[in-house]
Amino acid sequence: FKLIKELNLNSFRFGIEWSRVQPEPDVWDDDEIEYYKNYIRELKKLKIEPMLNVWHWTLPVWFAELGGFEKRENLKYWEEFIRKIANEFAPLLTNIITLNEPNVYVSHSYLLGWWPPNHKGWIKSSLVIYNLVLAHKIAYKILKNKKKTLNIGIAQQLANIQAKRPHNLLDQIMTKWMRFFWNWWFYNRIKNYQDFVGFNYYFTDYYRVAKRNNPEVPTNDLGWYMEPEGLYPLLLRVWARYRKPIIVTENGVADMHDQYRQWWIEETIVAMERALSEGVQLTGYFHWSLLDNFEWAYGWWPKFGLI
């Protein structure tokens, strides 16, 4: 928290680990709940606005063994968890993200099979994404019922998706298809259940027919093509579609030698300033991340941290 102050940042996004506060289906750990309350109070004492992220992909083992979000009946456990969050933490908070990147979680865990539980198929993918839509709506209703002034949204992963050949019909069709399903499908189902539109931006992707065809340089340490200014057209599209305040909930670069980080941040700020100058209601920005973190599929080596 002292490092946050040293960097002149005025807000901090953090998560509550579900398995810490509910280690078993009928067990709540009061000490851990008190730990998070103290965490929030300390941030506020330092005049750092806490942004609570409820779910960032991790599941308690007991919930995963029951099938996690694959089964509609398991949402009763999610509802219990959210009620606990609402009762214990909502009075202390102003801003809440319910779900982080539901599109990435479903595609990587259930469609492509890259992440646990390593499924590959459309049926389970469809069930999970629909259940996550319901999970967000459940959370929104419960949290709003507890505290009407809460500012609630999700952190969706959005890409600035472009046609490799702008005048090629097949490239244009693929681009529109990808934008609709990757960027807008989830938002369209929760548009009346969000107070802000939160999204994470890392990628500008160019499509040639059915394949991604990005420039070879520049790339970050993970091999991701870098186009930080791609945030600007994305902000315009989000604003035109939903007309709600926007928060960039994640944005950053894996760069262990600090070759690109300054350039990335400067270009990102220019993109946001351009969008603001055109009337986009951009109300917040969170860099990913304050500290180097355990990157979900890679471990500790990708260095996203400002520190």
Side-chain angles (χ1 to χ4, degrees):
F1 295 171
K2 286 178 182 175
L3 293 169
I4 296 169
K5 293 297 285 186
E6 281 181 35
L7 289 177
N8 291 313
L9 305 176
N10 64 5
S11 189
F12 185 60
R13 176 183 161 182
F14 69 99
I16 282 187
E17 176 52 53
W18 187 353
S19 61
R20 265 180 94 162
V21 298
Q22 193 181 11
E24 300 293 339
D26 299 314
V27 177
W28 297 99
D29 191 319
D30 292 336
D31 289 341
E32 295 295 348
I33 290 166
E34 192 57 33
Y35 164 82
Y36 282 117
K37 283 184 177 176
N38 288 334
Y39 192 101
I40 294 165
R41 290 189 193 109
E42 185 67 17
L43 283 169
K44 293 180 80 170
K45 193 164 77 177
L46 293 168
K47 293 184 169 49
I48 301 165
E49 182 61 39
M51 168 67 90
L52 168 61
N53 189 111
V54 178
W55 180 74
H56 197 138
W57 304 338
T58 59
L59 305 175
V61 171
W62 59 264
F63 185 71
E65 287 175 345
L66 290 169
F69 287 110
E70 297 167 30
K71 297 179 180 177
R72 186 74 50 92
E73 60 264 29
N74 288 345
L75 290 177
K76 66 185 178 185
Y77 299 107
W78 168 259
E79 186 172 337
E80 288 173 6
F81 175 49
I82 292 296
R83 288 194 188 282
K84 196 71 173 177
I85 295 281
N87 291 333
E88 301 288 352
F89 304 115
L92 302 171
L93 295 166
T94 305
N95 302 291
I96 293 182
I97 295 165
T98 58
L99 307 175
N100 180 78
E101 296 187 345
N103 53 348
V104 174
Y105 176 75
V106 172
S107 63
H108 287 32
S109 297
Y110 287 93
L111 192 60
L112 301 169
W114 295 345
W115 297 353
N118 307 104
H119 289 297
K120 288 183 182 180
W122 285 98
I123 295 174
K124 277 194 175 176
S125 298
S126 301
L127 289 172
V128 174
I129 198 75
Y130 274 106
N131 287 337
L132 287 171
V133 168
L134 291 176
H136 169 76
K137 289 181 177 179
I138 288 166
Y140 185 87
K141 289 174 185 173
I142 291 170
L143 290 163
K144 278 289 187 182
N145 194 45
K146 182 66 181 179
K147 186 178 179 180
K148 286 187 169 49
T149 56
L150 281 173
N151 194 32
I152 302 169
I154 66 168
Q156 171 85 323
Q157 210 272 14
L158 298 189
N160 175 35
I161 299 167
Q162 303 286 356
K164 184 73 173 180
R165 300 166 295 178
H167 303 294
N168 181 280
L169 183 60
L170 291 174
D171 290 11
Q172 288 177 347
I173 290 169
M174 186 63 185
T175 297
K176 287 179 179 176
W177 189 89
M178 282 297 298
R179 283 180 183 173
F180 177 78
F181 283 102
W182 186 256
N183 285 353
W184 315 130
W185 186 90
F186 202 95
Y187 282 141
N188 290 345
R189 271 139 198 87
I190 65 161
K191 60 186 177 184
N192 297 323
Y193 298 85
Q194 56 179 3
D195 305 308
F196 66 89
V197 182
F199 71 86
N200 304 343
Y201 173 73
Y202 299 93
F203 303 102
T204 288
D205 287 327
Y206 293 88
Y207 280 87
R208 185 183 180 105
V209 192
K211 288 187 177 177
R212 191 163 51 188
N213 191 331
N214 286 343
E216 292 183 5
V217 291
T219 58
N220 70 13
D221 294 350
L222 287 165
W224 300 352
Y225 168 63
M226 296 185 292
E227 194 173 301
E229 63 271 26
L231 179 60
Y232 164 71
L234 204 48
L235 285 166
L236 294 188
R237 280 188 221 117
V238 172
W239 176 246
R241 276 180 167 268
Y242 302 108
R243 293 286 168 172
K244 286 189 174 180
I246 297 169
I247 298 175
V248 178
T249 41
E250 277 183 37
N251 172 267
V253 60
D255 182 18
M256 68 177 73
H257 300 298
D258 276 326
Q259 289 175 283
Y260 302 110
R261 189 164 280 108
Q262 181 176 334
W263 163 76
W264 178 280
I265 292 170
E266 287 173 349
E267 291 293 319
T268 298
I269 290 169
V270 169
M272 293 191 291
E273 289 287 1
R274 284 183 69 194
L276 284 164
S277 74
E278 296 189 32
V280 173
Q281 194 178 345
L282 175 63
T283 59
Y285 169 86
F286 290 89
H287 193 83
W288 185 271
S289 54
L290 178 71
L291 308 173
D292 290 327
N293 61 288
F294 185 88
E295 187 62 28
W296 196 249
Y298 303 103
W300 292 107
W301 72 262
K303 303 300 183 187
F304 279 92
L306 292 171
I307 298 161

